[in-house]
Amino acid sequence: LLNKCDLISEDEKNQVKRLIQTMNPTAQLIESVHSAVPIDRVLGTGLFSMTDAETHDGWLKEARIGEHTPETLEYGISSFTYRARKPFWPHKLNLVLEGMLDQTAPFDSS
């Protein structure tokens, strides 16, 4: 799925298509804007082949235990769970965040 085609020129789009076809010559490219694609173009197509997928080095690397780097480590993604006995008031948090946006940073020279 080649999305956001409305945001690039024809030359840029053709360059991306050539790159994708270099990486996967059998890939079926579907151009779209806002990911608007008929569902039958992406589901139930019968185009996936486990036999073919297993021949690609990247597929095997992801399948082997210990060789995959989780996205949490690769990109520094983390999360937390908020727990408290008192209720959480989203509007109060919003007021604090809006107040922070209104302040000028100490290093701002404007």
Side-chain angles (χ1 to χ4, degrees):
L1 185 59
L2 184 56
N3 193 35
K4 300 188 179 189
C5 288
D6 58 323
L7 302 178
I8 58 175
S9 68
E10 278 298 313
D11 288 339
E12 291 170 318
K13 185 168 46 173
N14 289 332
Q15 185 178 2
V16 171
K17 286 175 154 182
R18 283 191 301 273
L19 179 62
I20 293 170
Q21 289 173 335
T22 299
M23 292 186 288
N24 186 351
T26 61
Q28 183 182 70
L29 295 176
I30 303 169
E31 296 179 22
S32 68
V33 174
H34 296 291
S35 299
V37 177
I39 197 74
D40 62 337
R41 296 286 313 271
V42 292
L43 294 180
T45 62
L47 295 174
F48 179 78
S49 164
M50 180 62 84
T51 305
D52 291 344
E54 289 173 339
T55 65
H56 294 283
D57 290 337
W59 177 275
L60 293 174
K61 181 179 177 185
E62 291 297 312
R64 289 188 197 115
I65 295 174
E67 290 191 34
H68 171 73
T69 303
E71 287 76 12
T72 52
L73 295 176
E74 187 173 359
Y75 302 109
I77 299 170
S78 64
S79 64
F80 69 93
T81 302
Y82 174 80
R83 292 187 181 150
R85 290 182 183 263
K86 294 182 179 181
F88 177 73
W89 301 101
H91 69 279
K92 289 183 179 181
L93 174 61
N94 191 46
L95 289 172
V96 170
L97 295 175
E98 284 178 355
M100 291 171 66
L101 289 174
D102 293 337
Q103 294 179 1
T104 304
F107 52 83
D108 191 356
S109 60
S110 54

